[in-house]
Amino acid sequence: MTQLPTEATHLPSSSDCNGIGIRVFGNADAANRCVAEEIANQMIYAANEGRNCVLGLATGSTPIGVYRELVRMHRDEALTFDNVITFNLDEYLPMQPHEPQSYVRFMNEKLFDHIDIRRENIHIPDGAIDPSAIEAFCRGYENRISDAGGIDLQLLGIGRTGHVGFNEPGSTRDSLTRRVRLNAKTRADAADDFRGIEHVPIHAITMGVQTILSARKIRLLAFGDHKAPIIRRTIHGAITGDVPATFLQGHGDTQFLLDEMAASRLDFVSSDETHHS
Ligand code: PGA
């Protein structure tokens, strides 16, 4: 494969990729900088118009570099999060916020503790909620997103099952925020974090596929060889609830930002002529 320059991206026509914009970067850092810059621009643009910027945020190892870059921009370039409202995709159930695997803790450590966001503007599904209150909580989460004006930009990773958020195979396009059962592969992937699969929660709360598709822009990051098969299936495969990420094909403003390894099984990447754009 021809070596791509670090900042260069390859942009095949979106019709080749079922409407999904594809950008392939020489490494993950370049992709992270690109997304962080777009998020910052979105925040600044909204601030200049006197509006809030509503961000949908993801956890997992993939978005950590984006958060690091946003923290750097806050520290070195005075980027303010004063007008930012965030909604995280998901949380394990049950999960106390102080536990090491909690996404509340993850977001605080990776982003929120290092920026000037207002605490009341942060929303993360409540993994500590009483089971009897889950349905009402999920309805309320949807309402809070609507009340904030909808999500301007949703950041996503992708699981090997094709999940976005914790929308596992079998999720429907019209699904909303709800309690879900985690897929065995997803639980296996989380086993190290929990020191054994037997400690990985069986359930989670996740925004739904429709909740995600309601975002005005969607930016999905995927890095590494292990993501190559699911990236191929998501971009070139038929739309199906068996691979919930394929629902992104119908969205209209979705871009995948990939490193060369995650892109390595895409049809256009194996051809030499695709690399000099
Ligand atoms: P990862 O998880 O970023 O840790 O690979 C992605 C996901 O499951 O959505």
Side-chain angles (χ1 to χ4, degrees):
M1 189 192 301
T2 314
Q3 187 65 38
L4 288 169
T6 315
E7 296 289 346
T9 63
H10 172 59
L11 292 165
S13 77
S14 62
S15 60
D16 296 342
C17 302
N18 288 316
I20 294 176
I22 307 296
R23 310 184 72 179
V24 183
F25 293 78
N27 57 53
D29 278 351
N32 292 334
R33 277 199 301 275
C34 184
V35 172
E37 233 163 74
E38 184 171 17
I39 291 172
N41 287 337
Q42 188 88 34
M43 288 162 49
I44 294 165
Y45 182 77
N48 288 342
E49 289 199 321
R51 283 194 298 111
N52 287 322
C53 176
V54 184
L55 299 177
L57 298 180
T59 49
S61 57
T62 306
I64 291 176
V66 173
Y67 299 146
R68 195 181 301 126
E69 180 63 8
L70 288 171
V71 169
R72 190 200 64 72
M73 289 166 132
H74 171 68
R75 193 185 59 226
D76 298 345
E77 298 168 12
L79 178 69
T80 179
F81 289 74
D82 194 43
N83 67 324
V84 171
I85 300 175
T86 64
F87 289 91
N88 263 78
L89 282 167
D90 48 21
E91 176 61 289
Y92 292 108
L93 192 70
M95 180 59 68
Q96 298 297 322
H98 62 268
E99 289 184 82
Q101 304 86 358
S102 137
Y103 289 161
V104 171
R105 187 159 161 175
F106 176 98
M107 290 307 301
N108 284 337
E109 288 178 358
K110 304 297 180 204
L111 184 65
F112 297 144
D113 285 350
H114 312 287
I115 57 174
D116 63 341
I117 191 166
R118 297 167 199 239
R119 287 279 156 178
E120 67 268 26
N121 284 353
I122 295 170
H123 305 86
I124 300 178
D126 183 1
I129 198 161
D130 187 87
S132 65
I134 292 173
E135 264 184 48
F137 175 86
C138 292
R139 272 197 307 275
Y141 205 71
E142 291 286 333
N143 290 339
R144 279 197 289 273
I145 294 173
S146 303
D147 291 349
I151 292 172
D152 291 307
L153 188 150
Q154 175 69 54
L155 191 60
L156 293 179
I158 185 169
R160 288 190 304 141
T161 60
H163 72 203
V164 283
F166 276 137
N167 292 287
E168 300 285 17
S171 298
T172 58
R173 182 198 279 273
D174 61 0
S175 56
L176 297 173
T177 302
R178 67 204 187 285
R179 186 182 89 129
V180 290
R181 200 180 169 87
L182 294 174
N183 183 282
K185 226 185 213 181
T186 298
R187 293 185 67 239
D189 283 348
D192 281 353
D193 290 344
F194 284 86
R195 296 170 191 267
I197 193 165
E198 66 276 21
H199 304 303
V200 180
I202 308 279
H203 293 103
I205 295 178
T206 183
M207 278 187 198
V209 174
Q210 185 175 305
T211 323
I212 292 169
L213 291 176
S214 299
R216 286 181 272 279
K217 294 182 184 183
I218 296 174
R219 300 293 178 258
L220 183 147
L221 295 166
F223 306 129
D225 272 333
H226 63 300
K227 297 290 173 78
I230 195 61
I231 288 294
R232 177 180 172 80
R233 178 71 188 80
T234 298
I235 289 170
H236 295 311
I239 298 178
T240 166
D242 293 343
V243 183
T246 57
F247 289 125
L248 299 173
Q249 290 181 18
H251 177 258
D253 190 351
T254 290
Q255 277 183 17
F256 283 18
L257 296 93
L258 311 172
D259 68 2
E260 290 184 24
M261 288 181 289
S264 60
R265 297 212 189 170
L266 295 178
D267 287 344
F268 61 82
V269 168
S270 56
S271 151
D272 266 0
E273 71 192 46
T274 59
H275 289 296
H276 42 76
S277 56

PDB file of all heavy atoms in Angstrom, residues 60-62 157-159 163 227, ligand 1:
ATOM      1  N   GLY A  60     -14.455   4.731  25.738  1.00  0.00           N
ATOM      2  CA  GLY A  60     -13.642   3.687  25.108  1.00  0.00           C
ATOM      3  C   GLY A  60     -12.265   4.251  24.806  1.00  0.00           C
ATOM      4  O   GLY A  60     -12.001   5.442  25.028  1.00  0.00           O
ATOM      5  N   SER A  61     -11.401   3.395  24.280  1.00  0.00           N
ATOM      6  CA  SER A  61     -10.022   3.841  24.043  1.00  0.00           C
ATOM      7  C   SER A  61      -9.934   4.788  22.842  1.00  0.00           C
ATOM      8  O   SER A  61      -9.066   5.657  22.790  1.00  0.00           O
ATOM      9  CB  SER A  61      -9.116   2.631  23.823  1.00  0.00           C
ATOM     10  OG  SER A  61      -9.614   1.861  22.750  1.00  0.00           O
ATOM     11  N   THR A  62     -10.863   4.659  21.891  1.00  0.00           N
ATOM     12  CA  THR A  62     -10.733   5.404  20.635  1.00  0.00           C
ATOM     13  C   THR A  62     -10.746   6.930  20.785  1.00  0.00           C
ATOM     14  O   THR A  62      -9.895   7.596  20.202  1.00  0.00           O
ATOM     15  CB  THR A  62     -11.835   4.959  19.644  1.00  0.00           C
ATOM     16  OG1 THR A  62     -11.754   3.532  19.511  1.00  0.00           O
ATOM     17  CG2 THR A  62     -11.655   5.605  18.288  1.00  0.00           C
ATOM     18  N   GLY A 157     -17.243   5.877  18.456  1.00  0.00           N
ATOM     19  CA  GLY A 157     -16.332   4.775  18.150  1.00  0.00           C
ATOM     20  C   GLY A 157     -17.204   3.674  17.538  1.00  0.00           C
ATOM     21  O   GLY A 157     -18.396   3.864  17.297  1.00  0.00           O
ATOM     22  N   ILE A 158     -16.614   2.532  17.323  1.00  0.00           N
ATOM     23  CA  ILE A 158     -17.402   1.389  16.820  1.00  0.00           C
ATOM     24  C   ILE A 158     -16.872   0.118  17.464  1.00  0.00           C
ATOM     25  O   ILE A 158     -15.655  -0.055  17.595  1.00  0.00           O
ATOM     26  CB  ILE A 158     -17.362   1.307  15.270  1.00  0.00           C
ATOM     27  CG1 ILE A 158     -18.272   0.202  14.736  1.00  0.00           C
ATOM     28  CG2 ILE A 158     -15.922   1.133  14.759  1.00  0.00           C
ATOM     29  CD1 ILE A 158     -18.480   0.254  13.217  1.00  0.00           C
ATOM     30  N   GLY A 159     -17.780  -0.731  17.890  1.00  0.00           N
ATOM     31  CA  GLY A 159     -17.359  -2.001  18.489  1.00  0.00           C
ATOM     32  C   GLY A 159     -17.212  -3.073  17.414  1.00  0.00           C
ATOM     33  O   GLY A 159     -17.716  -2.917  16.299  1.00  0.00           O
ATOM     34  N   HIS A 163     -21.543  -2.287  16.952  1.00  0.00           N
ATOM     35  CA  HIS A 163     -22.361  -1.406  17.796  1.00  0.00           C
ATOM     36  C   HIS A 163     -21.853   0.032  17.717  1.00  0.00           C
ATOM     37  O   HIS A 163     -20.673   0.279  17.544  1.00  0.00           O
ATOM     38  CB  HIS A 163     -22.447  -1.904  19.247  1.00  0.00           C
ATOM     39  CG  HIS A 163     -21.224  -1.770  20.083  1.00  0.00           C
ATOM     40  ND1 HIS A 163     -20.990  -2.561  21.191  1.00  0.00           N
ATOM     41  CD2 HIS A 163     -20.151  -0.930  20.017  1.00  0.00           C
ATOM     42  CE1 HIS A 163     -19.845  -2.210  21.759  1.00  0.00           C
ATOM     43  NE2 HIS A 163     -19.318  -1.227  21.065  1.00  0.00           N
ATOM     44  N   LYS A 227     -10.276  -3.351  13.791  1.00  0.00           N
ATOM     45  CA  LYS A 227     -11.519  -2.684  13.376  1.00  0.00           C
ATOM     46  C   LYS A 227     -11.754  -2.812  11.862  1.00  0.00           C
ATOM     47  O   LYS A 227     -12.836  -2.464  11.378  1.00  0.00           O
ATOM     48  CB  LYS A 227     -11.482  -1.205  13.767  1.00  0.00           C
ATOM     49  CG  LYS A 227     -11.409  -0.932  15.281  1.00  0.00           C
ATOM     50  CD  LYS A 227     -12.707  -1.282  15.985  1.00  0.00           C
ATOM     51  CE  LYS A 227     -12.620  -1.196  17.493  1.00  0.00           C
ATOM     52  NZ  LYS A 227     -12.677   0.141  18.034  1.00  0.00           N
TER      53      LYS A 227
HETATM   54  P1  PGA B   1     -12.909   1.120  21.787  1.00  0.00           P
HETATM   55  O1  PGA B   1     -14.469   0.810  21.858  1.00  0.00           O
HETATM   56  O2  PGA B   1     -12.803   2.590  21.479  1.00  0.00           O
HETATM   57  O3  PGA B   1     -12.384   0.816  23.145  1.00  0.00           O
HETATM   58  O4  PGA B   1     -12.341   0.269  20.697  1.00  0.00           O
HETATM   59  C1  PGA B   1     -15.272   1.300  20.840  1.00  0.00           C
HETATM   60  C2  PGA B   1     -16.708   0.911  21.077  1.00  0.00           C
HETATM   61  O5  PGA B   1     -16.964  -0.165  21.639  1.00  0.00           O
HETATM   62  O6  PGA B   1     -17.600   1.681  20.672  1.00  0.00           O
END
